[in-house]
Amino acid sequence: MQSGASQEAIDRVSAEIVRMGARPHLSRGEFRTVIGAVGEEANIDANHLTTLDGVEKVVPIMKPYKLASREFHDGDTVVEIGGPTVPRVKVGGRHALCIAGPCTVENEKMLWTIARQVREAGATVLRGGAFKPRTSPYSFQGLGEQALKWLRACGDELGMPICTEVMDTRQVEIIERYADCFQIGARNMQNFDLLREIGKTRKPVLLKRGLAATVKDWLLSAEYILAMGNERVILCERGIKTFEDSIRYTLDITSIPVIKEWSHLPIIVDPSHAAGRRNWVPQIARAGIGAGADGVIIEVHYCPSEAQCDGPQALLPDTFAALVGELKSIAAIYNKEFT
């Protein structure tokens, strides 16, 4: 739309898009509004839209991931996590994010201890699994709603938004009641029913890259969420399966500049799942921020040998605190600030 286009003109264009069988998707920038026509391209009469009041130009987006592309939204998207009971934190643009906590919530005392430690070290969002996808059906599967209650109480007390994993459409409603940010794990990146259901909510979504997914696949999964109206998507590079077997997964550092060029969505890295061993986590985290990532999500435990899930990759609190200081220095090179 033209700079300064009236709300009446925006509403008229939106109504015409609906009449053509598509759905209008508004992106309001500082100077102008862009209206995406989400639907079958063949049904869109671009020439007619061009003639409407307030329209500057009609641009066909060639990328299959329309709403996630830079063509649709040129500036960096900034996603806010938090509220109404905790302060909001931002990620994207000049804002960097540090999410930290245990892999899974094992008990209340353990959660409070780790939460205080990561908060003091500089983390602003608390992570913790209430429902855990495990390779073996006999492994610890999480404590469910009880863990969510502990997370909520802990987050409210410490002023930290909560991020936790959702595995199934049946879990969306209960997690939405407690958490500030959904996490979709690598195994569920192409669970399209789950993506649609999460897209109906308006809470931020941390979308991890699948183990064998291309960057295009990943962005198309984000498109499912965006197309349902949830614009608050954060991408997470957590490593992919390659022929290399010296490390758990290969963290694809190259995906960060690629995403930055192809998409407006913020991207963070998960060095814990990529490394699988705590002694490699700091180097991988530094590399991710050095490549331009907008933040990190890191597992921390005060006694990894007692952890019921992924203990070998959890950082000790002192190591995590030192790492946060280093990451802040690297982010400053890109004029980013951990907040």
Side-chain angles (χ1 to χ4, degrees):
M1 302 296 290
Q2 296 169 353
S3 179
S6 68
Q7 185 60 47
E8 183 181 359
I10 292 171
D11 292 343
R12 170 71 194 286
V13 173
S14 298
E16 287 298 294
I17 289 172
V18 171
R19 185 184 63 79
M20 295 174 186
R23 188 172 73 256
H25 189 289
L26 271 65
S27 175
R28 297 182 184 272
E30 185 177 355
F31 300 108
R32 57 168 46 83
T33 296
V34 177
I35 308 176
V38 182
E40 195 63 42
E41 188 175 347
N43 297 331
I44 305 298
D45 186 347
N47 291 329
H48 172 62
L49 292 174
T50 304
T51 66
L52 299 179
D53 288 343
V55 174
E56 180 180 292
K57 58 184 176 181
V58 177
V59 181
I61 297 178
M62 306 310 296
K63 298 284 195 306
Y65 41 90
K66 311 293 185 184
L67 302 178
S69 72
R70 282 276 182 197
E71 294 170 87
F72 173 70
H73 186 92
D74 185 56
D76 292 334
T77 287
V78 176
V79 175
E80 290 189 347
I81 305 174
T85 60
V86 291
R88 294 182 180 273
V89 296
K90 297 179 180 180
V91 58
R94 297 186 62 183
H95 305 279
L97 181 67
C98 182
I99 306 174
C103 174
T104 185
V105 178
E106 299 163 10
N107 58 68
E108 188 175 13
K109 180 181 178 181
M110 163 267 203
L111 175 63
W112 277 94
T113 301
I114 297 175
R116 290 190 178 100
Q117 289 169 334
V118 298
R119 181 58 165 156
E120 185 177 345
T124 49
V125 176
L126 178 64
R127 61 154 295 153
F131 302 95
K132 294 300 298 181
R134 306 300 299 276
T135 302
S136 169
Y138 309 113
S139 298
F140 180 66
Q141 306 288 317
L143 297 176
E145 186 174 8
Q146 181 58 70
L148 292 173
K149 291 178 179 179
W150 290 336
L151 282 164
R152 183 70 274 157
C154 197
D156 289 346
E157 176 71 21
L158 299 177
M160 300 179 74
I162 302 304
C163 179
T164 193
E165 184 166 0
V166 58
M167 295 163 41
D168 189 277
T169 55
R170 293 167 293 183
Q171 297 170 354
V172 173
E173 183 180 359
I174 186 171
I175 291 177
E176 187 177 15
R177 292 205 302 265
Y178 294 99
D180 300 293
C181 180
F182 292 103
Q183 175 184 310
I184 296 180
R187 295 175 178 86
N188 275 315
M189 189 205 81
Q190 290 183 312
N191 182 340
F192 300 121
D193 287 338
L194 179 59
L195 298 177
R196 289 190 189 96
E197 197 66 24
I198 292 294
K200 295 175 185 177
T201 75
R202 293 299 176 265
K203 288 198 171 181
V205 185
L206 182 66
L207 178 64
K208 289 195 171 186
R209 184 181 180 181
L211 310 183
T214 65
V215 172
K216 179 181 175 181
D217 295 334
W218 189 15
L219 288 172
L220 282 169
S221 289
E223 191 78 6
Y224 268 87
I225 301 170
L226 296 168
M228 295 302 296
N230 189 343
E231 302 176 12
R232 304 168 74 182
V233 177
I234 306 162
L235 301 173
C236 180
E237 168 60 57
R238 50 84 68 209
I240 55 176
K241 277 287 188 183
T242 68
F243 59 82
E244 180 56 61
D245 61 2
S246 63
I247 195 167
R248 189 180 185 191
Y249 297 104
T250 299
L251 191 81
D252 184 9
I253 291 294
T254 61
S255 72
I256 299 168
V258 170
I259 287 290
K260 289 293 184 182
E261 181 176 316
W262 290 3
S263 177
H264 55 89
L265 298 174
I267 175 174
I268 70 172
V269 294
D270 178 354
S272 301
H273 279 88
R277 289 175 54 182
R278 73 180 59 87
N279 55 313
W280 293 333
V281 168
Q283 294 94 321
I284 296 174
R286 291 193 291 263
I289 298 300
D294 298 301
V296 292
I297 177 169
I298 294 176
E299 292 181 6
V300 179
H301 202 294
Y302 58 83
C303 188
S305 61
E306 296 180 1
Q308 298 204 48
C309 180
D310 287 343
Q313 67 195 37
L315 288 186
L316 292 167
D318 288 348
T319 305
F320 173 72
L323 175 61
V324 171
E326 295 170 348
L327 298 181
K328 288 180 178 180
S329 297
I330 299 171
I333 297 171
Y334 294 92
N335 293 319
K336 294 180 185 291
E337 183 179 0
F338 280 91
T339 55

